[in-house]
Amino acid sequence: MVKAAKLHLVLGDQLSHSLATLRDADRDSSIILMAEVWSEATYVRHHKKKIAFLFSAMRHFAEELRAKGFNVRYVALDDPDNSQSLKGEVVRALGAVRASSVVVTECGEWRLAEEMASWADMLGIPVEIREDDRFLCSVQQFRDWRKGRKQLRMEYFYRDMRRQHRVLLEAGDEPVGGKWNYDAENRKPPSAGLKGPKRISHPKDAITRSVLALVEERFADHMGSLDSFHFAVNAVEAEKELQQFVDEILPRFGDYQDAMVKGEPYLYHSLISAYINAGLLLPMDVIRRAEVAWYEGRAPLNAVEGFIRQVLGWREYVRGIYWTEMPDYAERNHLDASRRLPPMYWTGKTKMTCMAAAVGDTIEHAYSHHIQRLMVTGNFAMLAGIDPSEVCEWYLAVYADAYDWVELPNTLGMALYGDGGVMASKPYAASGKYIDRMSNFCAGCHYDPKLTTGPKACPFNALYWDFLSRNEEKLSRNPRLANMYATWRRMDPFKQQTIRKHASQVLEALDTL
């Protein structure tokens, strides 16, 4: 039996050499444990590319640690002795080494955090759970920030984070350019023929090829294909994608961050969220790179500020919401939505071009950008009254950057308004007119965004008014919806009835739209 001072557990989304778990790891006496386990890969039906990305990245990280001289105990999914749970692998490792304690960095999911909290009693040795200081706002800091606030608006949190970390500031804590937020400049519809730049596709080494074969064999019935697997699987490759974004893509990110184009899943988005969330890139490094691009005149302020707001603002904010609202947050259903998730979310088979494109991109790439998630798949689910638990499970399963801490607030709070306004000041409800304005999806679609009723009417249109009508008691006092409710109330009662009847027909036909 090997004697080890400590057993250091590294999770699959903690692939950073600066990780708190590794800070005092000793090359002579510490054991670093990493494990691919069935329970974590299947508690929702994760996309094949997501599983392959994480397993390959984990294996590459383990090799980097070994190259540094660390003693790494790596358990592959197909190891015949694999217990297929994290707890089981900790127990099995402790059976092989006489560790005095277990060290781990706090995880990103309430479910696993609750389990880890019981490990010390179960194992009979200390289990030290360290703060994840890769994030820029600790959970306790967020608790302190939200005390006494009636509304938890991200904009004010974001400004405080800018001041704290000295990002895009002039002297005296004033924002560069005189404004904190340039969002009004970042909502341009797509210009004719808009295309994004060609993206990096990384070569597949022996480790990645082995993982792809494993995932194809063990997860054959999960969403997606492993063809054209393009992910970075180590920090060097992730850095190349960050460099490409800053040099070639960031300058136009602001203008077109809300635009949607058929056949262009990426446009001018960064594609680095999966790498930040898994630990291959660190958020402050990313922020500083974007900031320098503005100071050096290589990217405009509206683009740089908009991008930094996503990383320093939204990313930190949703994590704070998650950890200070859980565990009951996941059960909230403010609008009493109860319909099941339509099959089109898994197949992409629908006559609605926007939904087919957003889901099709998801199936192909384990990715769609934030406006597709919020204003297409999320908006449709909210308008149709789909059960939030089913929608949240889908988002967690299908996107390579999805972990419970980031997915749940974004989906339940922003996309579905299921938390009753904890995150969003209003439901992000929109008709087909929004999609027509911000995309080219509607051209040639089976449905017409200008029609509200009839066989060719865009399903979003009648569902939009029906959503407002059936939720009037809960939403009509929201000042940001006052104009929409005033418009609805001015409609002829017969027109209202006709719209709601058509919406009912749409809802009855969700499986065949």
Side-chain angles (χ1 to χ4, degrees):
M1 181 178 289
V2 179
K3 182 179 180 181
K6 293 179 181 178
L7 181 70
H8 301 253
L9 173 63
V10 176
L11 305 180
D13 60 347
Q14 298 179 347
L15 309 181
S16 309
H17 289 282
S18 61
L19 187 72
T21 302
L22 301 174
R23 202 153 292 150
D24 58 351
D26 183 89
R27 287 169 174 79
D28 296 323
S29 59
S30 295
I31 300 291
I32 298 173
L33 172 64
M34 299 179 69
E36 306 164 2
V37 294
W38 186 259
S39 60
E40 295 301 313
T42 60
Y43 71 96
V44 296
R45 295 173 62 80
H46 294 291
H47 196 293
K48 288 179 183 177
K49 278 190 167 81
K50 179 180 184 179
I51 299 171
F53 158 60
L54 287 172
F55 282 4
S56 182
M58 289 169 65
R59 293 186 185 191
H60 281 90
F61 189 70
E63 289 304 307
E64 292 171 12
L65 291 174
R66 290 188 179 112
K68 286 186 169 185
F70 289 108
N71 188 347
V72 179
R73 177 185 174 93
Y74 193 94
V75 184
L77 188 80
D78 54 358
D79 184 327
D81 295 323
N82 191 334
S83 66
Q84 302 300 346
S85 75
L86 284 174
K87 180 172 69 174
E89 286 313 295
V90 170
V91 170
R92 204 161 67 88
L94 291 173
V97 298
R98 291 185 315 214
S100 59
S101 64
V102 175
V103 178
V104 64
T105 296
E106 58 189 357
C107 64
E109 185 164 351
W110 187 272
R111 168 191 62 87
L112 187 55
E114 287 285 276
E115 178 186 306
M116 284 184 173
S118 69
W119 283 4
D121 290 340
M122 183 267 296
L123 297 172
I125 60 173
V127 175
E128 182 184 358
I129 301 175
R130 296 176 176 175
E131 179 183 317
D132 192 346
D133 55 12
R134 298 173 303 168
F135 287 93
L136 305 175
C137 178
S138 70
V139 175
Q140 185 57 52
Q141 182 184 349
F142 192 86
R143 290 186 194 279
D144 294 339
W145 175 83
R146 67 175 293 171
K147 284 179 182 176
R149 295 177 184 266
K150 294 181 179 179
Q151 293 183 322
L152 305 179
R153 294 294 167 252
M154 193 282 293
E155 179 65 26
Y156 302 112
F157 170 78
Y158 165 62
R159 294 180 187 185
D160 287 346
M161 293 295 286
R162 288 259 301 266
R163 294 185 186 101
Q164 176 185 335
H165 293 283
R166 308 300 304 168
V167 174
L168 291 178
L169 289 184
E170 303 280 11
D173 286 352
E174 292 301 313
V176 296
K179 294 193 296 185
W180 290 101
N181 186 318
Y182 288 82
D183 206 29
E185 300 178 24
N186 293 340
R187 291 173 175 159
K188 293 180 181 177
S191 55
L194 182 67
K195 291 183 178 295
K198 181 177 176 60
R199 300 306 183 100
I200 296 171
S201 182
H202 302 279
K204 304 172 187 65
D205 63 8
I207 291 175
T208 297
R209 291 195 299 271
S210 177
V211 166
L212 293 175
L214 172 70
V215 173
E216 191 62 68
E217 175 188 354
R218 298 296 179 97
F219 303 93
D221 58 347
H222 284 226
M223 176 190 271
S225 166
L226 294 175
D227 295 339
S228 66
F229 182 86
H230 58 80
F231 287 90
V233 293
N234 58 51
V236 172
E237 291 179 346
E239 163 65 25
K240 290 180 181 178
E241 294 205 29
L242 173 60
Q243 188 67 49
Q244 183 194 33
F245 172 68
V246 172
D247 290 346
E248 303 175 25
I249 300 165
L250 178 59
R252 302 188 78 185
F253 167 80
D255 289 346
Y256 295 116
Q257 65 173 292
D258 284 11
M260 299 175 284
V261 174
K262 187 177 180 180
E264 289 288 328
Y266 307 139
L267 284 179
Y268 289 90
H269 291 268
S270 70
L271 307 190
I272 62 171
S273 57
Y275 308 140
I276 298 175
N277 290 352
L280 298 182
L281 295 173
L282 296 177
M284 185 50 73
D285 291 345
V286 170
I287 289 166
R288 295 302 183 198
R289 293 280 286 280
E291 187 180 32
V292 168
W294 179 74
Y295 281 117
E296 294 181 349
R298 295 185 286 115
L301 186 55
N302 68 302
V304 172
E305 186 280 316
F307 174 71
I308 287 175
R309 183 162 13 102
Q310 290 189 355
V311 182
L312 183 60
W314 272 115
R315 185 173 187 270
E316 300 292 331
Y317 174 76
V318 298
R319 178 176 181 258
I321 291 290
Y322 179 84
W323 286 110
T324 57
E325 292 288 325
M326 286 293 279
D328 70 301
Y329 190 76
E331 307 303 318
R332 295 181 194 177
N333 187 357
H334 178 68
L335 301 179
D336 299 318
S338 59
R339 287 185 178 83
R340 66 183 183 85
L341 191 73
M344 72 175 93
Y345 277 80
W346 295 105
T347 66
K349 294 179 180 178
T350 170
K351 296 188 288 291
M352 291 183 285
T353 301
C354 59
M355 286 290 290
V359 177
D361 290 344
T362 300
I363 293 171
E364 176 65 21
H365 304 292
Y367 171 88
S368 67
H369 70 67
H370 71 280
I371 293 299
Q372 290 175 305
R373 299 189 202 191
L374 177 64
M375 301 307 298
V376 180
T377 51
N379 181 31
F380 187 84
M382 181 175 66
L383 298 182
I386 307 302
D387 185 332
S389 64
E390 292 197 27
V391 184
C392 290
E393 181 175 320
W394 183 80
Y395 275 89
L396 180 60
V398 302
Y399 291 117
D401 58 1
Y403 300 88
D404 204 48
W405 66 265
V406 67
E407 175 280 322
L408 183 62
N410 270 309
T411 305
L412 181 69
M414 285 297 293
L416 304 178
Y417 203 69
D419 65 4
V422 172
M423 282 191 65
S425 59
K426 72 176 183 67
Y428 278 84
S431 69
K433 293 179 181 178
Y434 173 87
I435 296 170
D436 191 26
R437 182 171 71 254
M438 296 306 300
S439 78
N440 66 357
F441 292 151
C442 299
C445 181
H446 175 82
Y447 299 105
D448 188 338
K450 297 180 178 64
L451 300 178
T452 302
T453 59
K456 288 290 187 177
C458 174
F460 280 85
N461 292 341
L463 289 181
Y464 173 77
W465 293 113
D466 184 66
F467 168 80
L468 291 175
S469 180
R470 70 176 184 265
N471 292 294
E472 186 167 4
E473 182 177 345
K474 292 181 178 179
L475 299 179
S476 62
R477 289 182 293 276
N478 187 316
R480 297 194 65 190
L481 297 176
N483 289 339
M484 293 300 97
Y485 274 107
T487 300
W488 173 249
R489 290 162 184 155
R490 285 195 300 267
M491 285 186 193
D492 179 86
F494 179 75
K495 183 177 181 180
Q496 290 181 340
Q497 183 180 6
T498 303
I499 291 173
R500 296 211 66 189
K501 180 179 179 181
H502 183 72
S504 179
Q505 293 169 350
V506 170
L507 293 172
E508 289 174 3
L510 283 181
D511 292 357
T512 58
L513 289 176

